[in-house]
Amino acid sequence: MGSVNEVTLVGNLTRNPEMKHTEGKKPICIIGVATNRTWTDEKGEKHEEPEFHRIVAFEKLAETCHQFLRKGRKIFARGRLHYRTYTGQDGMEKFSAEIVLEKME
């Protein structure tokens, strides 16, 4: 059997999309999305907890996201989970998980 790396989220944008460009001038759009996790505990009490996700779109999809998405709008996002390391402003190595967007509605 092969492997699968697929993430599907339905949530709301936490801020307006942020457009950046690579050194090669390719567009990158960064999107913040919130989803709500709900559960009932052993006492029967309902709980809800927001979870925040960083989504990154590239090239044409980045341009589309930047043009049409706005804070508060609902989004259906499908992509793959990607982990990366980078050096923060404090000089320390940091670790980040993000979703690379492949499809959006």
Side-chain angles (χ1 to χ4, degrees), residues 29-91:
C29 190
I30 300 165
I31 306 162
V33 174
T35 58
N36 290 315
R37 183 173 82 90
T38 58
W39 75 96
T40 304
D41 65 19
E42 55 276 349
K43 296 178 184 176
E45 295 178 26
K46 292 187 178 187
H47 298 273
E48 185 173 271
E49 179 179 78
E51 295 182 333
F52 300 96
H53 314 277
R54 177 184 166 99
I55 299 177
V56 181
F58 293 94
E59 300 186 12
K60 182 67 177 166
L61 191 52
E63 292 171 348
T64 301
C65 289
H66 187 256
Q67 181 179 359
F68 293 106
L69 298 179
R70 293 292 172 260
K71 179 181 178 179
R73 291 194 66 184
K74 187 157 297 278
I75 183 175
F76 167 88
R78 180 171 288 148
R80 62 182 171 83
L81 193 56
H82 176 74
Y83 298 97
R84 65 183 179 92
T85 57
Y86 62 96
T87 304
Q89 292 180 347
D90 58 3

Side-chain angles (χ1 to χ4, degrees), residues 4-42:
V4 176
N5 179 358
E6 185 173 74
V7 176
T8 302
L9 297 174
V10 177
N12 295 314
L13 272 68
T14 59
R15 61 183 184 274
N16 287 333
E18 178 185 352
M19 182 67 91
K20 295 183 176 186
H21 291 85
T22 65
E23 292 177 16
K25 306 287 185 203
K26 291 185 179 180
I28 299 173
C29 190
I30 300 165
I31 306 162
V33 174
T35 58
N36 290 315
R37 183 173 82 90
T38 58
W39 75 96
T40 304
D41 65 19
E42 55 276 349

